[in-house]
């Protein structure tokens, strides 16, 4: 069985999120999604609109997602990949090159982002109304 992992905040869940999860799942048989916890977002200087509990609940209901875990630190990716016996690490290409160090443990794939949609754009567009 081929296991895939991907990371993200997945706040204000949108089509770009759905696309990356679908394409990540298509690369293997089992998809683990690591969701940025509220404390990790604080570390990154970000604040999600939805709590980590709500973001986890939404991701758990997505048919491409087999397992949801939380991300607390930048360092945990290596441990996650080893612990969950991951074959492929996937991120959107806004992160290109950033996680190549995981190549030692699994394949690292950057998928093209979906054009025209983002959490930032949703917030801006609704804020403009
Ligand atoms: N994404 C995408 N297309 C968009 C928007 C996002 O393909 N239009 C992808 C991103 O490239 C990322 C995933 O969806 O792979 C989740 O995006 P975010 O919620 O913005 O996550 P991010 O803040 O990049 O978290 O440890 C790394 C972090 O957890 C990454």
């Amino acid at each position: 069985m081929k296991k895939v992992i991907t990371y993200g905040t997945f706040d204000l869940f949108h089509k770009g999120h759905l696309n990356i999860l679908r394409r990540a799942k298509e690369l293997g048989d089992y998809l683990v999604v690591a969701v940025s916890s509220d404390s990790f977002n604080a570390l990154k200087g970000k604040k999600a609109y939805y709590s980590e509990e709500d973001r986890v609940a939404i991701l758990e209901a997505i048919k491409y997602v087999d397992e949801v875990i939380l991300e607390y630190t930048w360092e945990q990716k290596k441990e996650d990949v080893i612990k969950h016996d991951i074959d492929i690490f996937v991120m959107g290409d806004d992160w290109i090159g950033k996680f190549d160090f995981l190549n030692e443990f699994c394949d690292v794939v950057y998928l093209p982002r979906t054009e025209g949609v983002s959490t930032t754009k949703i917030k801006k567009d609704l804020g403009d109304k």
Side-chain angles (χ1 to χ4, degrees):
M1 183 174 68
K2 234 183 196 175
K3 291 182 85 177
V4 183
I5 196 165
T6 195
Y7 290 73
T9 305
F10 300 100
D11 193 24
L12 302 179
F13 196 90
H14 58 65
K15 188 71 188 292
H17 294 145
L18 195 58
N19 283 341
I20 199 161
L21 296 177
R22 191 192 67 253
R23 289 178 299 164
K25 178 61 176 270
E26 282 168 2
L27 295 174
D29 310 297
Y30 189 90
L31 177 63
V32 180
V33 178
V35 183
S36 296
S37 62
D38 291 336
S39 65
F40 185 51
N41 276 332
L43 203 80
K44 290 194 275 186
K46 284 195 192 173
K47 192 179 184 324
Y49 177 80
Y50 287 128
S51 67
E52 63 185 37
E53 289 82 10
D54 287 0
R55 289 179 289 115
V56 166
I58 290 165
L59 283 159
E60 280 177 346
I62 304 288
K63 68 177 177 182
Y64 310 117
V65 178
D66 297 291
E67 188 175 344
V68 179
I69 61 172
L70 281 163
E71 181 179 32
Y72 295 101
T73 65
W74 287 108
E75 294 76 35
Q76 86 177 59
K77 289 191 180 66
K78 182 184 145 187
E79 293 161 32
D80 291 343
V81 164
I82 295 167
K83 186 167 127 200
H84 293 271
D85 205 13
I86 297 299
D87 300 286
I88 310 174
F89 172 94
V90 173
M91 283 303 286
D93 61 4
D94 43 328
W95 290 95
I96 205 151
K98 294 277 191 312
F99 302 114
D100 288 356
F101 63 91
L102 292 167
N103 256 325
E104 203 184 315
F105 310 99
C106 62
D107 290 340
V108 176
V109 175
Y110 302 98
L111 295 174
R113 272 172 74 90
T114 301
E115 295 289 319
V117 62
S118 70
T119 302
T120 310
K121 184 173 187 299
I122 293 170
K123 282 183 180 163
K124 184 179 168 291
D125 289 353
L126 293 178
D128 284 349
K129 293 222 157 56

